[in-house]
Structures are given as C-alpha cells and as structure tokens.
Amino acid sequence: MYHLIKTEGRARRGELVTPHGTVQTPAFMNVATCGAIKGAVSALDLKNLKCQVQLCNTYHLHLRPGDETVRKLGGLHRFTRWDGPILTDSGGFQVFSLAKLRNITEEGVTFASHIDGHRIFMGPEESMRIQSNLGSTIAMAFDECVENPAEYEYARASCDRTIRWLYRSKEEMDRLNSLPDTINRKQMLFGINQGSTYEDLRIDCMKKIRELNLDGYAIGGLAVGESAEDMYRIIEAVEPEMPKDRPRYLMGVGTPDNILESVARGVDLFDCVMPTRNARHGHVFTWEGRRNLFNAKYELDELPLDPGCDCPVCQNFSRAYLHHLFKSGEMLAMRLCVMHNIYFYNTLLERIRLSLDEGNFGQFSDQYKKELSQRI
Ligand SMILES: [Zn+2]
C-alpha cells in the first residue's frame, strides 16, 4: 500500500507499506544480484548503510543456487539474513541481455544459460513461480526489455506481448499467493511499462496495465541505449497516466543527476548497479563530485573519501589508505568503497526526502545536479 504524503511540482514524498516493513520514498534499492552486494558487503552491513530495500536478481538465483534450493532454505529473507523488503526482478532483463541463443515465442523465452549453456525456458508463469520460491516482498511481472533504438513495429508488437504476459503474471501470482505452503502469501506484484522511446506506445501501454490495479508500476526499458533527454521525455509522457496512489519505479537508473531529474518528474523508486560497480573500480561519489582513487594525487592524502560523509568508512580511513589498497589489489579496497557509495546513494535519497518534507526540493536539486556529476 502506498501513501502519498506530500508533493512539490510532480515530485512525490510518500511511504510504501509492505509485509516486510515500510519504505520511505523516494528510495534507492540496493542491488544484491546473487543475494549479496558485489564487493563483499552483507545484509548485516546494509543495516549500517541506510539501506531500505534489497534487490535480488531472479535469473541469477534461478541458475545458482536454484530457486527450489532457496525455497527449501526458507526463502531469500532467511537465506541472506535481510529482514527488510526485497524486490526481485522478473529475470526478463537478464534473459534478454546475458543469455545466449534466445528464442522468443508467445509462450515465453527459451535461452541458453550464460554459465554452462544448458537450455532453459522462462515465461510469465515460470518467472512468478521462481519469484514465489524466492519469497521476495515485491515480484516484477515478466516482460521483454527492448534495447534502444528499436524499430517502431518491433517495439509495438513486443509491448503488446508484454501486456499479455502481464495478465498471465497476475493470474499465476494470485494462484501462488492462494497456496497454503507459499513462503510469502502477501507477495506484491508490480507491472512494467514498455514501449521503447515512443510516447504513444508508452501511454497506450500504461492505460492498459493500470487497469489491473497492481501494487505498483515500473517504467522499464529506459537507460538501455537512449539519451538522458529521451529518458526524461518518456517519463514526462507516461507519468500523468500512472495511478497517483501507487509507487512508480524507474528500473536501472541511474546517476545522481538522473535520480534528481526523475524525482522531479514523479518517480518514487530507483535501482542501479552504478554505485557498487563504480566503487569496485575505485570510483567514488562524494558531495563534492566524483573521485577516482587510482589517481596519484591521493598517495599522501589523509582526508577521508568525503569530509561531508558520516559513513563507517569515512569515519575511519583515509584516501591514501584506500589508494594504497587499490594499487595493491586488496579486496578491502572494494568492500570499503562499495560501502561508502551505497551509503552515499541512500543518503542522497534521504536528503531528497528531507528537502521534499521541507518544501525545498527544487532548490536542493538545482544545487546538486551538476556538482555531484563533476569529476574532481
Ligand atoms: Zn563515506
């Protein structure tokens, strides 16, 4: 259930109530691909990093260790020791981006595992069963994510199929939630808006999927090859058609300025591998801009990564130490920088919420949009 607390322009301050706790929105969801944040950060660490929601990948967990195994172990919450809300994606994005030799039909997709090449079939029903076995808080409908740019006719046909797949996802989820031995019988389902960069397809899709009265709606198929301007144009086109009393999730986005621009256009939820992936390569976000720790200028720099950050890393370690750890190939370098970047992203969203509470989000956004992107 979503409560809209306050608005500023199109930006929304709200609360998403789930069976595993309430999420203050706008919120960032921290990506734990295979049930762990890449960079040796556990669910216990997340508690100290202001994380509200953990996101796990259906495709990866289906291949390893297998969703049946996770089910036998009590579901993702018990398995990973994260007791807050967990969102699982549908597997669709990875099937279309990672898997080899895929074949799409009305029924679903046959593909070869990127690990050992064995052939797997996944359609809406399979995706719902896997996510039900994982026992996540929020399941995502099975969709096709089309890369941009896409031909209009392909995007239209794909979008229509995604809508038919949504009906099947909903029916299967309702059935699974009615079974006595389902791990989370209150599993929520979000539908996904598709339609590439075509406003008419996006709007038509949204009008159709909102009729299903789902727990939330995502905008998918963005940040997959189009420009930031195209992304904002599509959000602006589709947002007025999205139900006001449901959370809106922009999938796979993005940089701090992408997030500020999208909050201003009415988005509530985000997820992105950028903070963790960048951190593993020595790139950290700070309130002054981005830093690359491989830079020789940090050799004797005893300041923390970000003097304005009160994360456990900045409270204890210097840039010089982290620079040394990266140069020496120590795993700790990744772990510490991933922790800092996660804390930074969750703090960014916290400060966005605070600015909305105080009615000065516009000012906050103007101040930080450029500052956070610049390399220093
Ligand atoms: Zn920090």
Side-chain angles (χ1 to χ4, degrees):
M1 197 197 295
Y2 174 82
H3 302 295
L4 181 60
I5 299 170
K6 207 176 167 190
T7 57
E8 183 181 325
R10 281 190 179 186
R12 292 146 48 95
R13 172 75 177 92
E15 271 182 357
L16 173 60
V17 181
T18 83
H20 297 110
T22 298
V23 181
Q24 299 298 325
T25 63
F28 184 74
M29 304 193 281
N30 300 263
V31 183
T33 308
C34 302
I37 307 273
K38 283 194 193 297
V41 173
S42 82
L44 303 183
D45 297 312
L46 289 182
K47 290 283 175 194
N48 300 320
L49 302 173
K50 299 187 186 178
C51 173
Q52 296 193 82
V53 188
Q54 177 173 276
L55 184 152
C56 296
N57 288 114
T58 291
Y59 169 88
H60 290 286
L61 291 164
H62 175 56
L63 296 186
R64 270 191 312 220
D67 51 286
E68 291 288 352
T69 301
V70 176
R71 179 192 168 91
K72 282 178 196 149
L73 294 166
L76 277 178
H77 285 90
R78 209 165 116 188
F79 190 43
T80 67
R81 308 305 290 175
W82 172 253
D83 58 5
I86 298 178
L87 182 140
T88 43
D89 64 359
S90 69
F93 182 77
Q94 281 76 21
V95 167
F96 290 102
S97 62
L98 282 182
K100 297 178 189 96
L101 303 163
R102 52 181 192 265
N103 178 34
I104 312 168
T105 65
E106 183 62 28
E107 274 310 296
V109 189
T110 308
F111 59 94
S113 153
H114 77 286
I115 298 171
D116 59 11
H118 84 279
R119 292 187 76 68
I120 301 168
F121 174 79
M122 197 188 287
E125 290 79 10
E126 287 74 17
S127 173
M128 293 307 111
R129 274 173 230 152
I130 295 166
Q131 294 183 75
S132 180
N133 283 340
L134 297 174
S136 61
T137 312
I138 301 165
M140 297 302 299
F142 189 71
D143 66 327
E144 181 185 3
C145 177
V146 178
E147 251 181 64
N148 296 322
E151 293 288 330
Y152 184 85
E153 273 313 307
Y154 186 86
R156 191 186 55 75
S158 163
C159 193
D160 287 347
R161 186 170 50 220
T162 283
I163 295 168
R164 292 193 294 275
W165 283 357
L166 176 60
Y167 276 82
R168 282 166 54 191
S169 294
K170 172 86 165 67
E171 201 176 315
E172 182 64 6
M173 181 55 66
D174 288 345
R175 187 187 74 78
L176 291 162
N177 281 349
S178 73
L179 300 176
D181 58 346
T182 291
I183 292 178
N184 175 16
R185 298 183 65 194
K186 291 179 178 161
Q187 193 165 27
M188 300 160 86
L189 178 66
F190 282 16
I192 305 177
N193 175 267
Q194 290 287 355
S196 186
T197 50
Y198 303 104
E199 292 166 43
D200 60 327
L201 296 182
R202 289 279 177 179
I203 290 167
D204 182 56
C205 174
M206 196 59 235
K207 285 179 175 169
K208 284 174 180 156
I209 66 177
R210 74 184 179 201
E211 283 170 24
L212 276 89
N213 198 23
L214 300 168
D215 298 300
Y217 290 91
I219 305 175
L222 291 180
V224 287
E226 81 288 350
S227 67
E229 288 65 36
D230 276 340
M231 176 166 85
Y232 301 146
R233 174 175 59 80
I234 291 302
I235 300 169
E236 278 171 26
V238 77
E239 188 274 340
E241 308 300 332
M242 302 183 92
K244 299 260 177 283
D245 58 352
R246 296 291 190 277
R248 295 95 171 261
Y249 163 28
L250 179 59
M251 303 180 82
V253 175
T255 61
D257 56 309
N258 289 155
I259 289 177
L260 288 164
E261 294 282 1
S262 303
V263 166
R265 288 165 174 81
V267 175
D268 307 307
L269 295 167
F270 300 89
D271 82 283
C272 191
V273 295
M274 185 175 282
T276 47
R277 181 181 288 164
N278 282 12
R280 297 198 304 278
H281 293 99
H283 297 273
V284 293
F285 293 94
T286 78
W287 288 97
E288 299 160 343
R290 303 186 190 189
R291 292 184 191 284
N292 177 0
L293 283 168
F294 279 96
N295 200 312
K297 71 180 175 185
Y298 297 122
E299 202 175 343
L300 290 169
D301 190 339
E302 289 205 279
L303 286 173
L305 290 178
D306 184 348
C309 175
D310 47 11
C311 86
V313 182
C314 291
Q315 291 310 297
N316 290 287
F317 303 106
S318 67
R319 293 170 192 168
Y321 182 55
L322 288 156
H323 171 77
H324 156 69
L325 293 180
F326 270 111
K327 299 285 273 189
S328 311
E330 285 294 338
M331 261 188 279
L332 185 60
M334 291 193 192
R335 174 172 155 80
L336 294 179
C337 287
V338 168
M339 287 171 71
H340 165 82
N341 270 4
I342 288 175
Y343 190 89
F344 174 86
Y345 260 66
N346 289 320
T347 303
L348 170 64
L349 274 290
E350 184 183 63
R351 289 184 67 177
I352 290 173
R353 292 192 297 274
L354 192 67
S355 71
L356 285 166
D357 287 337
E358 291 170 349
N360 56 22
F361 168 70
Q363 205 184 332
F364 177 84
S365 180
D366 285 343
Q367 183 186 344
Y368 284 109
K369 241 180 301 192
K370 284 207 182 90
E371 219 164 301
L372 297 182
S373 314
Q374 69 193 5
R375 291 172 199 283
I376 51 171

